[in-house]
């Protein structure tokens, strides 16, 4: 470990590899709220956060777990369609609180083209929030709707054992993966209608 009178111990979150302070500084200097997208293997969390002197203030928040309880989502909560819907919910909530512009904060996630992070961004943008981004990074509309999952399910339908293994989460909840695109559209419309009449957080 480095020593000496000029050595400065890095911030704890920097030492733990949890915060990139150079990136955070650039985002805060924009003066806009941050659309913070965080993911795990099974869930998504999207928040709109404003930096203030006393610390970060969460303006709006949504998790993919809410999709099950409030909107009846029976598909997995960690895939691209769920990420989009979570971003859509958070975006509507932020709009209701006066947020019209934001900047994307992906944290330490690698910004991969077409990933869940950018699906959540697409959801927030579709809610009406202006967020600077490169359109080429967003997933295709068909992927957001789960068209690729539907096609894969149809491909495996001739192999019942493999089909049941790959889509056990869908089947255990009574959802046929072949119907995912229509199901996604129904849940999306339910979310939009719930905010058009004024959702209570």
């Amino acid at each position: 470990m480095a020593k000496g009178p000029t050595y400065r111990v890095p911030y704890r979150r920097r030492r733990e590899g949890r915060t990139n302070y150079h990136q955070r500084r650039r985002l805060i200097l924009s003066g806009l709220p941050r659309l913070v997208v965080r993911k795990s293997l099974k869930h998504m969390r999207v928040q709109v956060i404003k930096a203030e002197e006393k610390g970060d203030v969460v303006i709006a928040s949504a998790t993919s777990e809410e999709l099950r309880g409030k909107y009846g989502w029976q598909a997995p909560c960690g895939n691209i369609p769920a990420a989009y819907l979570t971003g859509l919910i958070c975006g509507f909530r932020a709009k209701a609180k006066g947020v019209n512009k934001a900047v994307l904060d992906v944290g330490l996630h690698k910004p991969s083209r077409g990933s869940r992070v950018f699906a959540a961004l697409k959801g927030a943008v579709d809610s009406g929030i202006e967020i600077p981004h490169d359109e080429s990074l967003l997933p295709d509309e068909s992927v957001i709707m789960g068209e690729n999952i539907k096609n894969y399910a149809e491909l495996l339908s001739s192999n019942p054992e493999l089909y049941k293994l790959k889509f056990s989460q869908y089947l255990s909840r009574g959802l046929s993966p072949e119907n995912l695109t229509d199901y996604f559209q129904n849940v999306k419309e339910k979310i939009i209608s719930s905010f058009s009449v004024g959702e209570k957080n």
Side-chain angles (χ1 to χ4, degrees):
M1 180 175 175
K3 298 180 180 179
T6 60
Y7 178 71
R8 183 174 60 184
V9 178
Y11 293 126
R12 176 180 57 82
R13 291 182 64 88
R14 174 66 184 86
R15 296 197 308 270
E16 295 173 352
R18 297 172 64 188
T19 299
N20 182 332
Y21 281 98
H22 293 291
Q23 180 189 58
R24 177 180 168 83
R25 181 175 183 272
R26 290 196 298 270
L27 293 172
I28 290 174
L29 287 177
S30 71
L32 296 172
R34 305 184 335 265
L35 180 77
V36 178
V37 181
R38 300 293 182 263
K39 63 181 181 178
S40 67
L41 290 176
K42 295 183 178 180
H43 296 289
M44 296 293 301
R45 178 179 295 276
V46 183
Q47 297 176 308
V48 174
I49 295 177
K50 179 71 173 177
E52 296 185 358
E53 286 187 15
K54 62 181 179 181
D56 285 353
V57 176
V58 178
I59 300 173
S61 179
T63 67
S64 56
E65 293 171 288
E66 293 180 54
L67 293 172
R68 290 209 199 284
K70 290 188 177 181
Y71 304 104
W73 179 254
Q74 298 302 320
C77 290
N79 58 15
I80 285 180
Y84 171 87
L85 295 174
T86 305
L88 187 68
I89 294 170
C90 185
F92 279 132
R93 288 178 178 165
K95 282 285 288 183
K97 294 185 178 179
V99 176
N100 295 309
K101 294 183 179 181
V103 290
L104 178 64
D105 180 349
V106 300
L108 300 177
H109 295 313
K110 184 178 179 181
S112 302
R113 187 186 307 273
S115 67
R116 289 183 290 160
V117 170
F118 293 114
L121 166 65
K122 173 65 172 170
V125 169
D126 286 354
S127 73
I129 297 180
E130 183 181 334
I131 305 172
H133 63 278
D134 183 348
E135 290 285 340
S136 67
L137 294 174
L138 302 179
D140 292 337
E141 194 69 32
S142 61
V143 175
I144 287 174
M145 295 178 62
E147 187 76 36
N148 56 328
I149 298 173
K150 171 187 173 182
N151 293 339
Y152 186 50
E154 291 173 347
L155 181 66
L156 292 184
S157 60
S158 59
N159 187 336
E161 288 187 9
L162 187 57
Y163 176 85
K164 290 179 181 178
L165 178 65
K166 293 290 186 180
F167 296 102
S168 58
Q169 287 190 58
Y170 293 83
L171 299 174
S172 65
R173 295 179 179 275
L175 174 62
S176 172
E178 291 89 341
N179 298 328
L180 182 60
T181 53
D182 293 334
Y183 182 69
F184 168 87
Q185 200 62 39
N186 290 336
V187 173
K188 180 180 176 181
E189 289 172 3
K190 188 183 294 186
I191 291 170
I192 293 172
S193 63
S194 72
F195 282 96
S196 65
V197 298
E199 185 210 54
K200 293 183 179 179
N201 291 319

